Amino acid sequence: MSAPRLILASASPRRRDLIARLGLEPAAVQPAEIDESPLKAELPRPYAERMAREKTLAVDAADAHVLAGDTVVALGRRILPKAEDEATARRCLALLSGRRHKVLSAIALKAPDGAMRERISETIVRFKVLSAPEIDSYIASDEWHGKAGGYAIQGRAEGLIAWISGSHSGVVGLPLFETRTLLKAAGFPLG
């Protein structure tokens, strides 16, 4: 019996790099094109879970497992946006400065028969108090572009983070422990 096929429903090069750390290479990468707008009054955890699930459902793959993830930066009940412009990134960094926030990284794995497995990791992150020059320097790096909450922990922002409690890979975009657990349960050959 051959190993199951895996389709990664993400355009994120970070997710592809992370899945490779588990010794897997997806048979295909098919980014899911869905509306990622939160529903009215939707809380961060249900939003992250819904996004991961909807991304798997958006990929048509009758002969493969589909893996999707979604990472949400939450300050209390507030979902911080993906920073697509400098003003948004600055607002996010100002909000996160000196404070704790949660990073919720949801994953969903859809089997060829439609069965769905889901997990979520929750990581607490605290930034140091950020000075105006530190924010300016980080903005100049352009690492924030397209990142939830306006930062990438795997880059320069890591030097601005006082501590984390939880999954570093989850903050990057794919919680490896939870992902490995789902894939092993689905029959993927992982050591």
Side-chain angles (χ1 to χ4, degrees):
M1 187 171 176
S2 63
R5 288 183 65 238
L6 179 67
I7 294 175
L8 182 60
S10 175
S12 167
R14 292 165 305 284
R15 286 196 179 105
R16 190 169 183 160
D17 290 345
L18 287 165
I19 200 85
R21 291 183 191 178
L22 296 176
L24 290 176
E25 178 68 30
V29 175
Q30 292 181 296
E33 300 295 328
I34 64 168
D35 178 4
E36 295 191 38
S37 304
L39 301 174
K40 185 176 179 169
E42 190 170 27
L43 295 174
R45 185 181 190 100
Y47 169 72
E49 293 168 332
R50 180 175 65 84
M51 287 294 95
R53 190 170 41 257
E54 285 186 10
K55 287 175 184 178
T56 65
L57 296 172
V59 173
D60 184 25
D63 64 340
H65 286 75
V66 178
L67 177 70
D70 195 72
T71 302
V72 173
V73 174
L75 193 56
R77 299 166 59 93
R78 181 178 186 177
I79 298 168
L80 296 187
K82 286 184 181 174
E84 298 297 344
D85 58 62
E86 185 178 314
T88 302
R90 284 185 182 279
R91 276 194 305 277
C92 288
L93 291 171
L95 284 169
L96 297 173
S97 176
R99 299 174 74 181
R100 294 181 190 193
H101 64 278
K102 288 182 185 176
V103 178
L104 302 158
S105 193
I107 54 169
L109 182 68
K110 180 181 72 170
D113 66 2
M116 188 78 70
R117 290 182 167 92
E118 301 175 69
R119 297 289 298 262
I120 191 164
S121 83
E122 181 177 305
T123 303
I124 307 296
V125 179
R126 188 174 72 77
F127 270 88
K128 69 181 283 307
V129 175
L130 301 173
S131 68
E134 287 170 326
I135 291 175
D136 290 343
S137 176
Y138 190 71
I139 294 297
S141 77
D142 203 40
E143 285 183 350
W144 52 267
H145 195 266
K147 306 296 189 300
Y151 75 93
I153 195 170
Q154 69 276 18
R156 293 180 181 191
E158 192 165 10
L160 304 173
I161 293 171
W163 58 264
I164 72 168
S165 176
S167 171
H168 185 275
S169 63
V171 179
V172 174
L174 189 71
L176 291 180
F177 177 80
E178 289 80 359
T179 301
R180 183 179 185 280
T181 301
L182 284 187
L183 291 170
K184 277 199 69 90
F188 282 84
L190 300 169

